Amino acid sequence: MFGLDVIETPEGDKWPQLIVQQSLDREQRDTYVMKIKVEDGGNPPRSSTAILQVTVTDVNDNRPVFKDKDIEVNIPEDAAVGTSVTQLHATDADLGSNAKIHFYFGNQVSNLARRHFAIDNNTGLITVKEPLDREESHYHKLTVLASDGGSTPSRATVTINITDINDNIPSIDTRYIINPVNGTVQISEKAPINTKIALITVTDKDADLNGKVTCFTDHDVPFRLKPVFDNQFLLETAAPLDYETTREYAIKIVASDSGKPPLNQSAMLLIKVKDENDNPPIFSLPVIGLSFIENNPPGTELTKISATDADSGRNAELSYILGPNTPPIFNLDRRTGILTAVRKLDREKQNNYIFKVIAKDNGLPSLQSNTTVNITVLDQNDNSPSFTHNEYNFYVPENLPTYGTVGLITVTDEDEGVNANFTLSLVNAKDNFIIDPLTGVIKPNITFDREQQGSYTFQVKAVDLGTPQKSSTVKVTIFVEDVNDNRPVFVIPSTNYSYELVPTSTNPGSIVTKVFAVDNDTGINADLRYSIVGGNPRGLFTIDERSGNISLKEKILAGDHGLHRLVIKVNDSGKPEPFHTLALVHLFVNETITNGSYVQELVRRNMETPVGQNIGDGEITPQTNDYVKIIIAIIAGTMTVILVIFVTALVRCRQTPRHKVVQKNKQSGEWVSPNQENRQIKKKRKKKKRSPKNLLLNFVTIEESKTEDPAHEHINGTLDIPVELEEQTMGKYNWGTTPTTFKPDSPDLAKHYKSASPQPTFQIKPETPVPPKKHHVIQELPLDNTFVVGCDSLSKCSSSSSDPYSVSECSCQGGFKAPGPIHTRQPLRFHWILDNAASVNVGQPTAVS
């Protein structure tokens, strides 16, 4: 861009000129800095350099005009700084900024002249800038330029002649041992102490003491100047260097002579400390805590992780890597340290992540450090409430009170905070149930009856409180469990007035009849068991507790002939208190039934006998009577025997009432059936013949005895017998409901059996016995499910066959009575007496009732 041209003046001076070799463009570059070197022809040659700066200005069409173009002045060497040397004057025809004149030295002015003189740019006044030294230069030629901003300034020449004053300052010469780079010495921070940097030489043109120079640094630095020769000093390190503490030193070297006053000279030396990789990267925080909401888009930037390194250059270039246990869901840019999530975060799967991030520099050897990143995943309402079961089934007793607890609906929500809070409500519950919206407790708003409705089905809806709200539903089924609130009902026998024939040839173990009952309850409450609780004193019969089959247990003896009344009890297995029902099963032990009306009359009379009392005491069947007659006929023949039989008959007739009273007191609460005493009487009858008596026991009265009059009981022979017969529960079973223990398609066995047995060997005389009074048997029942049945024992029985010896069917009117309170009755007291008003041709007294 520029070239240098040297012009030689007539006086023999050489003026170098800077030549513009190419077109200048200030808008592209307005300043050029060059170094100019001048060298003499000595041996060795001496040289000096100067920095030349070229500033390109804009074009202007009017140049300033100097009043005087050549000026010459004289000034002493000791002229003070600031002394005015001369005043230049110039004018410009332009106006404004283009007319503003700027004075300055031309490029031809030497550095020495520039150092010693200064010009005021606005006024053109030249003053002494530095003290003058005639030994250095005895005159100075200054080229002054006046410019108004145009491209070509006006020129004027000022010649300054220096008058001599003996005054010289020391000079400093620096020779570098460590080659500088761009004028700066670079030294490693690991350099040892006494490392040589430069050789400093100082000189002074004065003589004697004024020419003796000392050299030193102006402030405390880890360097020192070590003298080696006269006017020469070595600059070396005096302490360890640390790049991280001080990276650069500007050392001012001062040279001072010994004159009075002494004159000083200084020089600057720049030293930069070269970095070594002796510092690891440093994170600002040992733990970086982050909070970020879940369900972020993949690639979302979480944060930028950065560390610092006190070193420089490659030693401070850092790369970031994730620790070995970092989840693969995160990615870290090695260069920038930007941490991203490559997949969306899910707080429900993991709500917190803790891992290491390592920062590693590029030095040799490489140094590294790490920090901990703690990421907390914030919740978003992205989960619906979840029920702990896919379906809820609750089992409640049917006696559960209104607003009692049915069950608990448990709900979870994988979210947290307000997103995990929820409320519960019922769907399609028809106001039958209510639910606590917070606790999930379901309570009934109705009373249960399993027999009317066994289950309820509805839905429960859970809605969370998040935004947006999410909900879910679940099916709830409530099964009403049975409570033992129904008594067993006998289906077979359908009435207490029926009877069955048990032939005397029946083998032990044979089934003679059966009973069957049902229960409207279910489960264990309908688990029925049968037992014989009365009328079986000798244990002649047994019953299967499960099937209800009544079997003959022992072989039938002669004393077992006659009518047996078994009190059958059926119990359910309900909790807490089982229910039971009693039924009467009449078994007529005989070869055949020759007269059904007679047997039916016996059954009727048995119904008037208290349940706790056995029947058949002292009875002799027609077969037994025939057997006695045969024995009597064999031993009869003499008058003596007839007399003995007659006396015996009289004695027995007198003892029979007493015998029955004793037997009553002995076996109260049991059924009277043929026993050992009967058999002894029969043996006596084999030995002697007696004449039959017409005896009949009838009911006289039933009254409530006064418990406070014990004498009355002894006098009247009163016997307290608790009544347990529940005739009213028989034969009235509701087949509309199907209990678990009874099949609706089972055969109807509740019919009276009809006998086709041949005509008996004896006949009852057509004397109609005096009909007894009708009595209703009332049982003390529980306060609920009470059944009351009344039955007219004879008036409602009619023969269904023209056969006078067939068994008559008897129907009994009965019905259900709605549950209600039952008043407790006092035990009934039965008064009995011996009545001879009627007779039968049987030869035996009838049963005591």
Side-chain angles (χ1 to χ4, degrees), residues 484-488 570-572 577-581 782 784-785:
N484 194 27
D485 56 354
N486 291 282
R487 291 180 176 273
V570 58
N571 280 77
D572 60 26
E577 182 178 357
F579 286 152
H580 72 273
T581 302
D784 58 349
N785 297 341

Side-chain angles (χ1 to χ4, degrees), residues 50-71:
I51 301 300
L52 178 61
Q53 177 175 328
V54 177
T55 301
V56 181
T57 61
D58 285 334
V59 175
N60 194 356
D61 58 349
N62 289 293
R63 297 174 57 190
V65 177
F66 281 101
K67 183 178 181 181
D68 296 315
K69 291 187 177 183
D70 294 315
I71 300 173

